[in-house]
Coordinates of all heavy atoms in Angstrom, one line a residue:
E87 N -5.1 -0.1 2.3 CA -3.8 -0.7 2.0 C -3.4 -1.5 3.3 O -3.6 -1.0 4.4 CB -2.8 0.4 1.7 CG -1.4 -0.2 1.5 CD -0.4 0.9 1.1 OE1 -0.9 1.9 0.5 OE2 0.8 0.8 1.3
G88 N -2.8 -2.7 3.1 CA -2.4 -3.5 4.2 C -1.1 -3.0 4.8 O -0.3 -2.4 4.1
E89 N -1.1 -3.1 6.1 CA 0.1 -2.7 6.9 C 0.5 -3.9 7.8 O -0.4 -4.6 8.2 CB -0.2 -1.5 7.8 CG -0.4 -0.2 7.0 CD 0.9 0.4 6.6 OE1 1.9 0.5 7.4 OE2 1.1 0.9 5.5
P90 N 1.7 -4.0 8.1 CA 2.0 -5.1 9.1 C 1.2 -4.9 10.4 O 1.3 -3.8 11.0 CB 3.5 -4.9 9.4 CG 4.0 -4.3 8.1 CD 2.9 -3.4 7.7
G91 N 0.4 -5.8 10.7 CA -0.5 -5.7 11.9 C -1.7 -4.8 11.8 O -2.3 -4.5 12.8
G92 N -2.0 -4.4 10.6 CA -3.2 -3.6 10.5 C -3.5 -3.2 9.1 O -3.2 -3.8 8.1
L93 N -4.3 -2.1 9.0 CA -4.8 -1.6 7.7 C -4.6 -0.1 7.7 O -4.8 0.6 8.7 CB -6.3 -1.9 7.5 CG -6.7 -3.4 7.4 CD1 -8.2 -3.5 7.6 CD2 -6.2 -3.9 6.1
L94 N -4.3 0.4 6.5 CA -4.2 1.9 6.3 C -5.4 2.3 5.4 O -5.5 1.8 4.2 CB -2.9 2.3 5.6 CG -2.7 3.8 5.3 CD1 -2.5 4.5 6.7 CD2 -1.6 4.0 4.4
F95 N -6.3 3.1 5.9 CA -7.4 3.7 5.1 C -7.0 5.0 4.5 O -6.6 5.9 5.3 CB -8.6 3.8 6.0 CG -9.3 2.5 6.4 CD1 -8.7 1.7 7.4 CD2 -10.5 2.1 5.8 CE1 -9.2 0.5 7.7 CE2 -11.0 0.9 6.2 CZ -10.4 0.1 7.1
M96 N -7.0 5.1 3.2 CA -6.6 6.3 2.5 C -7.8 7.0 2.0 O -8.6 6.5 1.2 CB -5.7 5.9 1.3 CG -4.4 5.2 1.7 SD -3.5 4.4 0.4 CE -4.7 3.1 -0.1
L97 N -8.0 8.2 2.6 CA -9.2 9.0 2.4 C -8.9 10.2 1.5 O -7.9 10.8 1.7 CB -9.8 9.4 3.7 CG -9.8 8.3 4.8 CD1 -10.3 8.9 6.1 CD2 -10.7 7.1 4.4
S98 N -9.9 10.6 0.7 CA -9.7 11.9 -0.1 C -11.1 12.5 -0.3 O -12.1 11.8 -0.3 CB -9.0 11.6 -1.4 OG -9.8 10.7 -2.2
N99 N -11.1 13.8 -0.6 CA -12.3 14.5 -1.0 C -12.3 14.8 -2.5 O -11.3 14.5 -3.2 CB -12.5 15.7 -0.1 CG -11.4 16.8 -0.2 OD1 -10.7 16.8 -1.2 ND2 -11.3 17.6 0.8
D100 N -13.3 15.5 -2.9 CA -13.4 15.8 -4.4 C -12.3 16.8 -4.8 O -12.0 16.9 -6.0 CB -14.7 16.4 -4.7 CG -15.8 15.3 -4.7 OD1 -15.5 14.2 -4.9 OD2 -17.0 15.7 -4.5
N101 N -11.6 17.5 -3.9 CA -10.5 18.4 -4.2 C -9.2 17.7 -4.2 O -8.2 18.4 -4.2 CB -10.5 19.6 -3.3 CG -11.8 20.5 -3.5 OD1 -12.3 20.6 -4.6 ND2 -12.3 21.0 -2.3
D102 N -9.2 16.4 -4.0 CA -8.0 15.5 -3.9 C -7.2 15.9 -2.7 O -6.0 15.7 -2.7 CB -7.2 15.6 -5.2 CG -6.3 14.4 -5.3 OD1 -6.7 13.3 -4.9 OD2 -5.2 14.5 -5.9
E103 N -7.8 16.4 -1.6 CA -7.2 16.6 -0.4 C -7.3 15.3 0.4 O -8.3 14.6 0.4 CB -7.9 17.7 0.5 CG -7.8 19.0 -0.2 CD -8.7 20.1 0.4 OE1 -9.7 19.7 0.9 OE2 -8.3 21.3 0.5
R104 N -6.2 14.9 1.0 CA -6.1 13.5 1.5 C -5.8 13.4 3.0 O -5.1 14.3 3.6 CB -4.9 12.7 0.8 CG -5.2 12.7 -0.7 CD -4.0 12.1 -1.5 NE -4.2 12.1 -2.9 CZ -4.8 11.1 -3.6 NH1 -5.1 10.0 -2.9 NH2 -5.0 11.2 -4.9
K105 N -6.3 12.3 3.6 CA -5.9 12.0 5.0 C -5.8 10.5 5.1 O -6.5 9.7 4.3 CB -6.9 12.5 6.0 CG -6.9 14.0 6.2 CD -7.5 14.4 7.5 CE -7.3 15.9 7.7 NZ -7.8 16.3 9.1
N106 N -5.0 10.0 6.0 CA -4.8 8.6 6.2 C -5.2 8.2 7.6 O -4.8 8.9 8.6 CB -3.3 8.2 6.0 CG -3.0 8.1 4.5 OD1 -3.9 8.2 3.6 ND2 -1.7 8.0 4.2

Side-chain angles (χ1 to χ4, degrees):
E87 177 174 335
E89 291 279 319
L93 295 165
L94 182 71
F95 288 74
M96 299 168 292
L97 316 175
S98 62
N99 60 22
D100 285 338
N101 296 322
D102 204 30
E103 298 169 325
R104 300 172 182 269
K105 289 202 172 186
N106 284 349

